[in-house]
């Protein structure tokens, strides 16, 4: 007899979808605040944090990474951290994010 891995229920999928919709609404609101008030890097950083949070939620639940072995999660997390470092360097090179030295 094989044991089926745990998957979210349809009700959990709806809750996750609602959470993602709320986070997207917040992102759109931050964009419109940016049009009225220039908050510098705060807008960019907050949008990156929200996008990262949404990405983690999608990967964890819709790609079922949450229910996999921890080795696979660590491997994926390592790649994600490297990708975010590269993304930060590119944003800094393009002048989108200003990184100040000490």
């Amino acid at each position: 007899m094989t044991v089926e891995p745990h998957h979210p229920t349809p009700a959990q999928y709806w809750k996750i979808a609602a959470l993602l919709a709320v986070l997207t609404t917040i992102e759109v609101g931050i964009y419109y605040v940016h049009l009225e008030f220039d908050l510098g890097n705060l807008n960019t950083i907050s949008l990156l944090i929200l996008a990262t949070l949404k990405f983690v939620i999608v990967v964890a639940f819709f790609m079922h990474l949450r229910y996999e072995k921890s080795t696979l999660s660590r491997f994926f997390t390592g790649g994600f951290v490297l990708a975010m470092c590269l993304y930060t360097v590119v944003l800094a090179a393009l002048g989108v994010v200003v990184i100040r030295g000490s």
Side-chain angles (χ1 to χ4, degrees):
M1 178 182 273
T2 60
V3 177
E4 290 290 322
H6 178 73
H7 293 284
T9 64
Q12 288 173 321
Y13 277 124
W14 281 107
K15 290 175 186 175
I16 295 165
L19 175 63
L20 292 171
V22 167
L23 291 175
T24 302
T25 303
I26 293 169
E27 285 178 331
V28 171
I30 289 172
Y31 171 76
Y32 283 111
V33 166
H34 172 69
L35 293 178
E36 294 295 323
F37 308 103
D38 186 22
L39 301 175
N41 285 341
L42 185 61
N43 288 332
T44 304
I45 291 169
S46 61
L47 288 173
L48 285 174
I49 289 170
L50 285 170
T52 301
L53 180 62
K54 286 173 38 177
F55 176 79
V56 168
I57 290 170
V58 168
V59 167
F61 289 99
F62 292 111
M63 294 177 64
H64 307 288
L65 193 62
R66 180 174 182 218
Y67 307 108
E68 293 291 334
K69 294 180 181 177
S70 64
T71 305
L72 184 60
S73 296
R74 288 184 196 141
F75 180 73
F76 192 84
T77 302
F80 180 73
V81 168
L82 289 174
M84 288 306 294
C85 290
L86 177 64
Y87 193 63
T88 303
V89 168
V90 170
L91 285 176
L94 294 175
V96 175
V97 175
V98 178
I99 300 175
R100 294 183 176 96
S102 36

